[in-house]
Amino acid sequence: MDPDERLMRSIEEQIGISENAKKAFREEILIRISSYSRKGRKFDYSSHERLREAIEKKLFTDLKDIVKITTSTKTPDETQLKRINEVTKQLIDEHGYCPVCANELLRYVGSLLNR
């Protein structure tokens, strides 16, 4: 599978990684993955602080409007419900979430935004 350059850039931009600095940032992550692998440890996005921050900011940015609807409206209208369902479907189809996890993610992000 080819990398999704647009997605990677949108994540990197969340923490101010410029076009010129993206190669160094990506190499830094690959080095961390390799180091974890040699030690028999599993790497995930939270294993790299800047990557974790970038991904979380990207998620918050992408889901901000829909999460506000899901957390501020007890009974969403038809338009709001359609948007909620679209985001849930996108999380499932494009990002591999199961339906329960997609809904949990929306609730979790909503709780963080409402702090």
Side-chain angles (χ1 to χ4, degrees):
M1 175 184 232
D2 290 333
D4 186 339
E5 181 66 26
R6 195 174 78 205
L7 175 62
M8 291 190 308
R9 285 301 301 139
S10 68
I11 291 169
E12 293 161 347
E13 288 168 352
Q14 296 298 317
I15 56 170
I17 304 293
S18 68
E19 181 71 27
N20 293 335
K22 73 180 183 183
K23 183 177 179 189
F25 179 69
R26 293 173 186 182
E27 287 174 354
E28 179 183 321
I29 293 169
L30 288 173
I31 289 168
R32 179 78 53 93
I33 291 169
S34 177
S35 172
Y36 270 54
S37 178
R38 284 192 308 273
K39 295 175 184 175
R41 294 173 56 193
K42 183 179 178 184
F43 179 88
D44 66 25
Y45 82 97
S46 64
S47 301
H48 188 280
E49 185 62 28
R50 292 175 66 208
L51 178 61
R52 181 197 57 75
E53 178 186 359
I55 290 173
E56 288 178 358
K57 283 183 176 182
K58 172 71 172 146
L59 280 172
F60 292 158
T61 300
D62 289 354
L63 298 175
K64 189 175 182 180
D65 291 337
I66 193 70
V67 169
K68 283 182 180 176
I69 291 170
T70 62
T71 58
S72 65
T73 307
K74 291 189 186 244
T75 54
D77 64 28
E78 188 176 326
T79 303
Q80 293 168 329
L81 190 56
K82 182 179 177 188
R83 289 180 65 201
I84 292 167
N85 289 336
E86 287 171 0
V87 170
T88 302
K89 182 176 179 355
Q90 185 177 9
L91 287 169
I92 294 166
D93 294 347
E94 296 178 21
H95 301 286
Y97 285 85
C98 73
V100 172
C101 295
N103 287 318
E104 285 296 316
L105 176 61
L106 289 176
R107 274 196 286 278
Y108 173 71
V109 173
S111 71
L112 293 176
L113 291 173
N114 289 324
R115 286 184 180 173

